[in-house]
Amino acid sequence: LMPTILLVDDRRDAHLTVGNKLEKLGFAVTCLDSALDIAKHVIELLPDVVFLDMNMPELDGCEAAQILKSNAETMNIPIIMVSSHATPADLELAVQSGCITLMSKPIDEEEVRQLLTSIFEKNAQEAAKDGEAPNNGEAPSDHQEVEPPAIP
């Protein structure tokens, strides 16, 4: 089963350029040209990762990211923001909106491959961690990030 990516960008040429790069890397890509109804689309598709264009007319990437992060069904899906003119201030906005990072368009194939690989590895580790210790309906404890004791 191919990992799925939802690409949301109001420019059709980005669907081709970014979409083709992602497909070449082995992802099934679905494209939307507006972030309106983003939560509905994401809940229907449940993609592994969402790529959001930062600057879109009706609803910009930051607003769309905040909508996804505030919905229980979509809050854990990683979001990558993309922008034609990414500035440090834009990166800060993207991260504040709940995105992992901001990538400049045209996206660099190697950079996106490394980023997606690290996302999927992290998800696999977390899934494995979740599988090891079923928490019997208890709330997750706050002290999970404890360093393992050093073996002398």
Side-chain angles (χ1 to χ4, degrees):
L1 206 64
M2 287 169 109
T4 55
I5 289 182
L6 176 63
L7 171 62
V8 187
D9 198 313
D10 59 305
R11 293 181 50 182
R12 291 287 167 98
D13 59 337
H15 292 188
L16 292 171
T17 54
V18 179
N20 287 349
K21 282 180 184 173
L22 294 170
E23 281 170 354
K24 257 192 354 202
L25 293 170
F27 295 94
V29 181
T30 301
C31 298
L32 290 176
D33 49 21
S34 163
L36 291 176
D37 300 324
I38 183 84
K40 180 173 82 77
H41 290 294
V42 172
I43 289 165
E44 281 169 14
L45 279 166
L46 288 178
D48 294 294
V49 179
V50 175
F51 276 74
L52 278 177
D53 181 39
M54 191 156 202
N55 306 299
M56 292 183 282
E58 304 98 343
L59 189 70
D60 73 31
C62 290
E63 292 168 309
Q66 287 163 354
I67 290 168
L68 293 177
K69 288 298 169 187
S70 62
N71 183 316
E73 289 183 73
T74 58
M75 66 195 308
N76 294 320
I77 297 172
I79 304 170
I80 296 167
M81 190 81 78
V82 286
S83 174
S84 316
H85 18 252
T87 65
D90 287 340
L91 172 61
E92 202 171 309
L93 275 174
V95 170
Q96 281 170 358
S97 307
C99 300
I100 291 174
T101 190
L102 173 69
M103 298 189 93
S104 290
K105 283 195 284 194
I107 63 166
D108 178 73
E109 213 166 301
E110 185 53 29
E111 188 186 345
V112 83
R113 190 186 62 75
Q114 288 174 359
L115 178 60
L116 290 169
T117 301
S118 75
I119 289 171
F120 289 119
E121 280 173 358
K122 187 169 165 248
N123 287 357
Q125 284 166 0
E126 283 171 11
K129 224 171 27 188
D130 292 347
E132 284 166 12
N135 63 0
N136 307 323
E138 294 159 12
S141 64
D142 286 343
H143 54 264
Q144 283 174 336
E145 306 262 330
V146 179
E147 287 284 311
I151 296 157

